[in-house]
Amino acid sequence: MNILQNKPLVIGHRGAAGEAPENTLASFALAVKQGADAVELDVHLSADGELIVCHDATVNRTTDGAGAIADLTAAQLRRLDAGRWFDEKYAGEPVPTLEEVFRETPAGVMINVEIKCPYSSRLQMRLFELLKLYGRLEGTVVSSFNHKILHSLQAAEPVLKVGLLYDANLVHHRRLAESSGMNVYSLHPYHLLIDPEDVADATANGLQVYPFTVNDEGQMHRAVMAGMSGIITDYPARLRSLLERMT
């Protein structure tokens, strides 16, 4: 029996980060293969103005190299191995650019781009260039914990979908969006810091709610029953399997 009123989107966190090296093309491809409706990724700006897909400000943790992304060129970053640290079978997996992700990810898969680097005109120019070049403006949500970055980006491109990342159980979650001075598309709270009543209030007022990062099956079930619009997880296959069993 179907106990779901609305099935949430399966959003692969850094691809399928629980089963493949995070923020790599291999990870995004695995998430899509596992039934993800969307993938989430992080970007930093390289020394030569390219948008690089990586969570940390440095490449130290997830590659065989070292140094700050902001100090390295795209060509230097391209030579690094971003897969071997996770598993030998991923040896040689490169650090991708956002352009490569847009090019390789199926058009119907939503992409959640989290901005990790500081705002700059170079960031804005390159992001909008890629969104328009690959026809991704409609199918992309740009999120950040730095809401001022989102405000600047949406001021330059009013149709940009923005998502507010935050880590607090607010008295009124919906009002975070209303007070932001932006046309907010989605709320991205930490999954244990939002109650079902808050989700219902937000979605009833036209907001999507995409909590992060839900990996335990019991917590997935809680998030589904809370009425989340989408669920960000390192394990897309696990969430997809749960949703199928609940349908």
Side-chain angles (χ1 to χ4, degrees), residues 14-212:
R14 307 179 199 172
E19 300 181 65
E22 64 179 65
N23 279 325
T24 61
L25 293 178
S27 189
F28 301 130
L30 180 59
V32 172
K33 182 179 179 180
Q34 292 181 343
D37 303 294
V39 293
E40 183 270 357
L41 56 83
D42 310 280
V43 296
H44 291 269
L45 200 65
S46 70
D48 53 345
E50 189 58 82
L51 285 172
I52 304 300
V53 179
C54 186
H55 177 271
D56 301 355
T58 73
V59 296
N60 300 24
R61 179 176 65 86
T62 56
T63 78
D64 59 350
I69 293 172
D71 295 333
L72 298 168
T73 66
Q76 289 173 317
L77 291 159
R78 187 73 187 175
R79 292 194 287 269
L80 302 178
D81 186 321
R84 183 178 276 111
W85 70 272
F86 187 88
D87 191 288
E88 188 64 33
K89 69 181 180 180
Y90 290 109
E93 188 68 28
V95 177
T97 63
L98 183 60
E99 179 170 17
E100 288 172 316
V101 178
F102 280 170
R103 189 170 63 230
E104 298 297 328
T105 304
V109 176
M110 186 181 82
I111 298 178
N112 175 187
V113 177
E114 181 181 344
I115 306 294
K116 289 289 191 183
C117 56
Y119 175 79
S120 67
S121 59
R122 294 177 88 191
L123 164 69
Q124 176 183 303
M125 180 178 67
R126 186 56 175 156
L127 177 61
F128 291 158
E129 180 181 31
L130 292 175
L131 287 170
K132 293 171 182 177
L133 178 64
Y134 289 93
R136 291 281 184 175
L137 192 57
E138 176 63 26
T140 297
V141 177
V142 179
S143 63
S144 183
F145 282 99
N146 188 330
H147 299 173
K148 288 184 178 180
I149 290 177
L150 301 177
H151 191 277
S152 296
L153 291 172
Q154 195 179 68
E157 180 52 82
V159 302
L160 184 71
K161 292 179 177 178
V162 298
L164 306 181
L165 274 161
Y166 59 103
D167 190 3
N169 197 347
L170 305 174
V171 175
H172 297 290
H173 289 251
R174 169 172 55 90
R175 292 183 185 172
L176 177 66
E178 294 175 347
S179 65
S180 69
M182 292 179 278
N183 179 19
V184 175
Y185 179 77
S186 51
L187 298 178
H188 300 229
Y190 176 58
H191 71 102
L192 294 178
L193 295 180
I194 187 168
D195 302 319
E197 297 77 16
D198 300 310
V199 179
D201 180 52
T203 56
N205 283 275
L207 292 164
Q208 301 292 300
V209 182
Y210 301 146
F212 69 92

